[in-house]
Every structure is written in C-alpha cells, then in structure tokens.
Amino acid sequence: MTSPLLRFLAKRLLHTAVVLLGVLVVVFALLQLVPGDPVRVALGTRFTQESYDALREASGLDRPLLVQFFAYIGNALTGNLGVSFRSGEPVTLILLDRLPATVSLALAGIAIALLIAFPLGTWAALRRGSAADGGIRAVSQFGVSVPDFWLGLLLIIVFSTMLGLLPPSGYVPFTEDPWGWLQRVILPGLAVGVVSGSIMTRYVRSAVLDVVGSNYVRTARSKGLPRRTVVGRHVLRNALVPILTVAGVQAATMLGGLIVIEVVFAWPGLGRLVFDAVAARDYPVVQGTVLLIALMFLLINLLVDILYAVVDPRIRVS
C-alpha cells in the first residue's frame, strides 16, 4: 500500500506543480491585457515623473515583457511573489495576513453546508416520493437559485438591523476572541453555507438512493438489522465517496468564490484583497492571490483523492 500511495502522491504533486505553472502563465498573460497603467494608478495624486520612473524601475515594468515573465516565474518558485504597488509590502506577507480570515470563513461555510446536506439529503432519500422528500427538494432548489450575496444582505437586514442579534460586519481572529469570532462568522458562513448546502443536499440524496437499492443493503435488512445500523454502517458509508467528491469541489469553489461575500460583510480575507487589488491595478497582489487560491484548490482535491482510499478500502490508489 505504501509504495503505490507514494507513487500516487508524487504524480499528484507533479500534476499540481504543472497546473500551478499554467495558472501563472494564464494570469500573467491576462493581466497584460487589462487597460490602464498600474504604476500611474498606484501613484495617484503622488504622481511625479521622477516617482513614476522610479516605481516602474523598482517593479521591473520598464523591462521587456518576456524578461518580466521569466523573472516572475523564477521569483515565484522561490516564494517571492513581489511587492505591492500600493503599500510597498511583500505580497507573501500580505497573503499570509489575509489567509486566516478566508480559511475560517470557508471552514464555517463548509461546516454549515454539511450540517444541512447530510441530514436533509439522507432523510429525503430514505422517504423517496413522500411529502418530506418533495419539500426538501423544493427548498434545496430554492437554495440553489438564491445568490449568496442577496442572502447575505437579507441576513444582515433581519439579524443585525431588525433584531440586533449579530454584528453586520467585521472580523475578529479566533485566537483573540473566540466568542467575537463566532458572532461575526455566523452570518457570512450562513450566506455561503446555505447555497452550498442546497447543492450538496441534492447530491447526498442521489448518492444515498443509489446505495439504498443495492443488494447488500437488502441483505442487511433481511438479516433483521436495525434501521439505524443499516443506514449508518451500509448506506452512508458506501455513499460517502460521491459525497466526498462534491464536498471537495464545493470547498474549493467556496475558497475562490468568497469575493462578493467578503465585500458584503467587510471581511478582510483574500476575496476582499483581490477585489481591491484589481480596482487599484495592483498586479503583484492579484497574481499572488490567484496563485494561492489555485494552490488551495489543488490541495483540497488531492486531500479528497486520499480520503477515497480511507473511506472505501476497495479503492486503491494504484
């Protein structure tokens, strides 16, 4: 098991490196097509010809495009993602500062999504064709159709403005104030979690339905095993593989799709960072953020592939 697993990990890590290189190339090329002079935008009212020339030289933008590209690739491979045009800080430090906020919001969102999807999807599948099944499918369809930013605004109006129960915005690190962090993460977590949970509910229902009709489940029932044992030991365990796939995709998508939610809730994460960086033509920050999100996306997919073999021993990495 060990040798095939190591070969599998080596192949996937090589695949991850190739995809990241492709992301670097695409992002660099696309940013060259964006209109406007990033140095002029970064200087703003501080513009003078001397400061303009100095910043262009310091950022390497006065060099040929091909030279800029290879310099960026070389620096990125050593962990140097450049310096922000606006603040002058290293991009790596900026990303590390914003990363915990985005990760905590994504974890809250995926936890809420799983809490919604597992019980509702399983309940609907085990009562296929009933009124409960129809109601859950209708609610999940509504949840899929609702834009997360609209749901976020609705939650702010109800729970912050009208009821005054939770703060409408802001972020407190968990390590400094766990209760304050929980109060502030509930609403944005619900906004992204309800939408993802609605999508996953439909997949959980479908996966459980596929397993419920299997011969081994009928055999387990014919042996007189309790319903709870049949569902927990035979149905859910064997339905986990397709559910893991969807959960991984949703978690990865959530990391890259938090831009609007972080703007709505003034959440100082990577989404808010890339939103501000695009507006300011801060190319190094945009490139670094996209690269980091792509890396997290690939690592989550790698983790899901490894979990396949853990959840279902019949699956072998070879």
Side-chain angles (χ1 to χ4, degrees):
M1 179 70 183
T2 303
S3 183
L5 179 59
L6 289 177
R7 284 200 298 271
F8 168 76
L9 288 176
K11 287 180 181 176
R12 288 306 307 269
L13 288 175
L14 180 61
H15 174 261
T16 300
V18 172
V19 173
L20 280 179
L21 183 60
V23 170
L24 278 173
V25 174
V26 171
V27 172
F28 184 87
L30 289 178
L31 287 179
Q32 304 311 312
L33 301 177
V34 177
D37 187 339
V39 177
R40 183 70 179 83
V41 174
L43 289 174
T45 56
R46 297 175 292 129
F47 176 83
T48 62
Q49 190 58 48
E50 291 76 16
S51 60
Y52 179 82
D53 294 338
L55 185 54
R56 272 184 65 83
E57 184 179 357
S59 58
L61 292 177
D62 59 335
R63 291 182 288 178
L65 202 58
L66 204 57
V67 176
Q68 292 181 42
F69 172 72
F70 284 110
Y72 181 73
I73 295 294
N75 290 332
L77 291 176
T78 61
N80 178 10
L81 298 176
V83 176
S84 167
F85 289 166
R86 287 190 302 169
S87 64
E89 297 177 60
V91 174
T92 305
L93 295 182
I94 297 175
L95 295 179
L96 291 177
D97 183 54
R98 298 295 189 100
L99 183 61
T102 292
V103 170
S104 64
L105 179 54
L107 289 177
I110 198 66
I112 291 172
L114 290 173
L115 288 175
I116 293 172
F118 255 99
L120 290 185
T122 306
W123 182 276
L126 296 178
R127 288 160 180 78
R128 183 181 186 183
S130 66
D133 180 26
I136 289 172
R137 281 190 293 158
V139 171
S140 64
Q141 182 62 46
F142 176 74
V144 172
S145 308
V146 173
D148 53 6
F149 71 88
W150 181 85
L151 183 59
L153 292 173
L154 186 65
L155 291 171
I156 290 175
I157 292 172
V158 174
F159 291 99
S160 298
T161 306
M162 296 176 63
L163 301 178
L165 296 176
L166 295 167
S169 62
Y171 167 72
V172 176
F174 179 82
T175 52
E176 293 181 7
D177 182 5
W179 177 241
W181 172 84
L182 181 62
Q183 286 182 309
R184 287 165 177 78
V185 83
I186 289 176
L187 295 185
L190 277 173
V192 294
V194 166
V195 176
S196 293
S198 300
I199 297 172
M200 291 171 59
T201 296
R202 302 170 71 84
Y203 281 96
V204 171
R205 178 182 178 275
S206 177
V208 172
L209 277 178
D210 288 341
V211 177
V212 163
S214 303
N215 290 331
Y216 55 84
V217 174
R218 293 195 190 96
T219 303
R221 284 175 174 165
S222 67
K223 290 179 178 176
L225 292 177
R227 180 184 177 89
R228 182 178 300 177
T229 303
V230 174
V231 173
R233 185 179 301 173
H234 298 283
V235 176
L236 287 182
R237 184 173 181 179
N238 288 283
L240 269 181
V241 171
I243 294 172
L244 269 178
T245 304
V246 179
V249 171
Q250 285 299 312
T253 305
M254 200 177 288
L255 281 170
L258 291 176
I259 295 176
V260 178
I261 288 299
E262 289 189 357
V263 171
V264 169
F265 287 92
W267 193 265
L270 294 175
R272 179 73 182 275
L273 176 67
V274 77
F275 178 84
D276 294 338
V278 169
R281 306 287 196 277
D282 198 346
Y283 289 174
V285 174
V286 175
Q287 289 170 323
T289 308
V290 174
L291 182 65
L292 180 59
I293 291 174
L295 177 62
M296 290 192 291
F297 189 98
L298 293 168
L299 291 179
I300 288 175
N301 279 287
L302 176 62
L303 178 64
V304 170
D305 286 346
I306 295 173
L307 286 177
Y308 285 160
V310 176
V311 170
D312 191 344
R314 294 171 299 178
I315 298 177
R316 292 291 180 267
V317 292
S318 58

